[in-house]
Amino acid sequence: MSGIDKICAGIKKYGNFLITAHMNLEGDALGSELAFYALIRKLGKKGVILNADAVPPAYAFLPGTDKIRRLGPGSGRIAFDCMAVLDCAGTERTGGVWELNAAGKPVLNIDHHVSNRGFGDACWIDPRASSCSEMIYRLYKHMHVPISGPEAVCMYTGMMTDTGSFRYSNTGSLTHWASAELLRHVNV
């Protein structure tokens, strides 16, 4: 079973997700989290986005940032049956969110960093992807989940920031193809 198929199986199996990414949030971490959250909600699932850091003011425009929680007192009471770790090469990079999974609940690991050690129960690691947001775009397509404007803004932002506005060598033909489709969903 391929990595994306393992992630799909995990999404279908579980109903309540704790979603996190790396410390020092930027466009790809936030864009992929918010798009993943929207995807599971469209599939009738529940979820909470929890990060070690607050959303940087530069990314407050992203749709759904009001749903992102910051790790703090009471975070340990968040109920979930599966953890989704996005855009994060190692568990220590979650800044303490990982410790909330002391019970060892299943973990979905979606990442594009070559340094990812493959932690978790279902891993989809693709260093050829421009960004984790590009991978979430592929997840939408693979699961036949329609993309709306807010998700498109989140994924486009992630792809744009992680490619240096499409200048870095990680920018491939799929990146351009996906970004063109995402722009069609945005009211510009």
Side-chain angles (χ1 to χ4, degrees):
M1 184 181 291
S2 70
I4 193 171
D5 288 325
K6 290 177 185 176
I7 296 299
C8 292
I11 291 170
K12 290 174 184 173
K13 183 174 183 179
Y14 301 104
N16 195 3
F17 295 83
L18 175 61
I19 305 161
T20 195
H22 61 72
M23 297 178 292
N24 302 316
L25 298 162
E26 39 68 55
D28 189 30
L30 292 164
S32 59
E33 285 181 320
L34 290 164
F36 184 86
Y37 174 82
L39 179 136
I40 64 166
R41 297 292 295 153
K42 287 182 173 190
L43 295 171
K45 313 288 182 165
K46 295 179 185 175
V48 172
I49 303 172
L50 180 71
N51 293 313
D53 300 322
V55 174
Y59 294 104
F61 72 91
L62 287 171
T65 55
D66 59 316
K67 294 175 177 59
I68 298 175
R69 297 187 192 177
R70 187 171 182 191
L71 183 65
S75 295
R77 292 190 295 273
I78 296 173
F80 64 96
D81 56 15
C82 186
M83 179 181 262
V85 183
L86 311 178
D87 196 34
C88 191
T91 57
E92 70 285 349
R93 296 274 299 129
T94 67
V97 177
W98 179 260
E99 282 74 32
L100 297 179
N101 193 15
K105 295 185 179 172
V107 174
L108 307 181
N109 175 357
I110 305 172
D111 190 26
H112 68 111
H113 295 102
V114 69
S115 58
N116 192 301
R117 299 181 303 259
F119 62 90
D121 302 279
C123 298
W124 178 29
I125 302 161
D126 185 358
R128 296 166 306 178
S130 70
S131 57
C132 191
S133 293
E134 182 180 299
M135 295 174 73
I136 301 301
Y137 165 83
R138 289 164 51 196
L139 190 59
Y140 270 81
K141 300 310 249 177
H142 195 78
M143 296 186 81
H144 307 288
V145 175
I147 298 170
S148 65
E151 297 98 54
V153 168
C154 292
M155 289 183 275
Y156 183 86
T157 300
M159 284 188 263
M160 191 202 56
T161 57
D162 256 27
T163 61
S165 298
F166 309 104
R167 293 178 310 212
Y168 300 159
S169 62
N170 63 339
T171 306
S173 60
L174 178 59
T175 311
H176 287 294
W177 184 269
S179 61
E181 180 185 345
L182 293 172
L183 285 173
R184 286 195 299 271
H185 294 285
V186 179
N187 294 327
V188 182

